[in-house]
Amino acid sequence: TTICVFAPIVITEGITRQLFVDMGLTIAYSLLASLLIALTVVPAMASKMMTKTKEQKEGKLFGGLVKGYEKLLRLALKGKPVVLLLVVALLVGSALAAVSNGTAFMSDMDSTQLTVSVSLGEEASLQDTAQVTDEVVRRIKELPDVQDVGAMSSASTMTMLTGGQGSGNAASIYVTTVQDKTMTNEELGALIVERTADLQAEITVDASSMDMSALGGSGITVRVEGRELDTIQKIAGEIAVLLAEVEGTAEVSDGMEESGEELRVTVDKEAAMEYGLTVAQVFSQISERLKENGTATTLAEADKDYGVYVIDEENEALTRALLQSLMLEGTDADGTCEVKLSEIAAFEMRESLTSIRRADQTRYVAVSAQIAEGYNVGQVAAAVEKKLADYTMPDGYRLVFAGENETINDAMEQVMLMLVLALVFMYLIMVAQFQSLLSPFIIMFTIPLAFTGGLLGLFFTGSEVSVIALIGFVMLSGIIVNNGIVLIDYMNQLRESGMEKKEAILTAGRTRLRPVLMTALTTILALSTMVFSRDMGAEMMRSMAIVTIVGLLYGTLLTLIVIPCVYDLLIREKKAR
């Protein structure tokens, strides 16, 4: 059952498969190997090493635990409806509580790098920037956990990249920390800002946490799709205003950063017709005057080729202002004539995009917003969707949500598909083994119990419902059914031997308590290192470990109570022959 949980991962798509297919295959191969060892090597070793054994007396502590469990189980069997209603209520409550923490693609991971930006006023010289930067570097070196510090003028960077002249009023400082540091990057960044607050410069720190959401884009993106660019730009501006009003958004952009001014020429058709010109002819003549010069020929020498251009001086000097007085060739009653462009056309200066983006051959402008510090992308995205639900779009235009939240939703859909298929496979495998439809159905009740524990674990630890956490639920569903299998299988054996149903339930509970607890505790203790580890990158898998540990702990304890109750409800007493 645990192996088949990971089988559906091969049919998932996108980043979910890329991230988890190796883990799934590793677990599946390991389990197959351990199964082979358990069925061959372990019995062989036991036959040689356990020839002399003596009966182990049950300890007082465990004996008291068994007696207490039996009393609790008898009480639960008398009040089965109350037990089941309470379990369902806890499942619904835990789901609502966990979702209240928000959603995420993956948890941010701490790193050993920080970037400090130092910015002075426009009038600052390169020397002024160097002095302030040197002082910042000196103070950073005095802080704990700092290993290396390097600085570079932003002007030097731009000069290297573009060959241009930088202003010299900004610098970037790169900080690396020791591996076993005592502070997180956020804590160290806050300390750097505090220690440099008295300097006459704007100092900001990028903690450089490894934000795994960057794999699918960050923040919130809303694409405004349609045909007319003017209408798209107008809608984008209105959407940007609405986004800025949502709590938790920051750095809202209407997608017009890469825009420039353009001169729009609107030809009066009737006025142009008086001179025998169509709109197409007018634009053709304008285009001829504005088009770039092409190479007429090339002169080749021994070490270099020289392009020869033919340039009309009048066209070379043509500007937007002079374009209005451009003379066009037309025809009137007297024959060929010239007409000034301003007489047959209107001019307008507008802001326009420097490039047109398309998705599926449809034009769009992307409105984006970052998530403010301390806010969750899932919660903010839900607030944005609610805000935009009341916005009325013109016919032929639509809003398409993209960005990090859509990546999260797509990945979660893939994992949920994987989980559904895993549950189907598990049930079919147990049906084949039990030769029954009812016993596996009862065992499947262990899964919502485990999920309740996993959801409570996420809520109480303040963790978001992430894709990694959902993988933990997939693993949990394959592990927790083992407890149900152990209980139900023994109950069936006892009843087949002639024992009365109620007594079989109590006997199976007492007898199987030890192996159920041993199986759960070994898995919980093995995963506990992932929860408490402070190594770099441990944050990524922590939510999966939390889900599995708390889910197993809660699910195991509830399995020992709830599964016997469900068994008592659904399995009929055998009639005496």
Side-chain angles (χ1 to χ4, degrees), residues 5-6 23 27 471-480 544 548:
V5 160
F6 291 96
M23 183 182 73
I27 294 174
I471 290 293
F473 284 109
V474 173
M475 290 178 58
L476 192 57
S477 62
I479 297 170
I480 196 67
M544 183 181 74
T548 310

Side-chain angles (χ1 to χ4, degrees), residues 195-487:
R195 294 288 181 88
T196 56
D198 60 314
L199 298 177
Q200 299 299 313
E202 182 183 348
I203 297 173
T204 57
V205 179
D206 179 6
S208 294
S209 293
M210 290 182 279
D211 183 4
M212 299 304 290
S213 65
L215 291 171
S218 62
I220 294 170
T221 303
V222 181
R223 291 206 311 261
V224 182
E225 296 185 353
R227 291 183 60 83
E228 293 293 333
L229 287 176
D230 289 344
T231 307
I232 294 175
Q233 291 172 27
K234 176 178 175 292
I235 296 172
E238 294 172 355
I239 296 298
V241 172
L242 293 175
L243 283 184
E245 294 174 358
V246 176
E247 185 180 358
T249 57
E251 301 177 27
V252 178
S253 165
D254 62 359
M256 297 296 291
E257 287 81 3
E258 298 180 2
S259 62
E261 279 192 336
E262 69 176 13
L263 177 63
R264 296 194 176 183
V265 181
T266 306
V267 178
D268 185 335
K269 294 181 180 179
E270 294 182 0
M273 285 296 293
E274 294 180 4
Y275 297 93
L277 293 170
T278 63
V279 174
Q281 289 173 332
V282 171
F283 284 132
S284 175
Q285 292 192 43
I286 296 174
S287 174
E288 189 69 25
R289 302 288 293 273
L290 293 178
K291 71 178 182 181
E292 295 181 353
N293 302 299
T295 307
T297 186
T298 302
L299 297 179
E301 291 199 0
D303 57 344
K304 191 175 182 180
D305 292 341
Y306 296 92
V308 178
Y309 295 86
V310 178
I311 300 173
D312 188 329
E313 289 185 358
E314 291 184 5
N315 294 347
E316 187 70 13
L318 191 62
T319 63
R320 288 177 176 175
L322 295 176
L323 184 65
Q324 300 185 31
S325 58
L326 182 67
M327 301 302 294
L328 303 178
E329 293 184 0
T331 56
D332 57 11
D334 299 329
T336 303
C337 68
E338 288 190 339
V339 58
K340 190 181 292 187
L341 180 59
S342 59
E343 294 181 11
I344 60 172
F347 300 88
E348 182 185 11
M349 294 298 298
R350 293 288 295 271
E351 186 181 16
S352 176
L353 295 167
T354 55
S355 61
I356 300 174
R357 297 181 180 181
R358 287 181 173 84
D360 300 327
Q361 301 302 313
T362 303
R363 295 173 174 178
Y364 76 89
V365 170
V367 182
S368 61
Q370 296 300 314
I371 305 301
E373 191 70 29
Y375 288 86
N376 176 265
V377 62
Q379 294 171 330
V380 175
V384 167
E385 290 183 13
K386 185 177 180 181
K387 184 80 172 178
L388 298 183
D390 298 329
Y391 183 84
T392 304
M393 293 288 291
D395 293 338
Y397 297 84
R398 65 171 185 162
L399 297 179
V400 177
F401 289 90
E404 183 179 349
N405 193 56
E406 299 310 302
T407 304
I408 294 170
N409 292 337
D410 291 343
M412 286 187 174
E413 285 179 9
Q414 293 293 318
V415 178
M416 292 302 293
L417 172 64
M418 176 182 167
L419 179 59
V420 170
L421 290 175
L423 295 178
V424 172
F425 290 164
M426 280 194 298
Y427 181 73
L428 294 176
I429 286 173
M430 288 189 291
V431 167
Q433 292 296 313
F434 279 97
Q435 297 294 306
S436 165
L437 294 174
L438 194 54
S439 292
F441 180 72
I442 296 171
I443 293 170
M444 295 297 281
F445 277 88
T446 60
I447 296 173
L449 297 176
F451 283 8
T452 303
L455 292 167
L456 289 174
L458 291 177
F459 173 69
F460 286 116
T461 58
S463 305
E464 305 100 334
V465 179
S466 63
V467 178
I468 290 286
L470 289 184
I471 290 293
F473 284 109
V474 173
M475 290 178 58
L476 192 57
S477 62
I479 297 170
I480 196 67
V481 293
N482 296 336
N483 296 334
I485 290 171
V486 168
L487 278 173

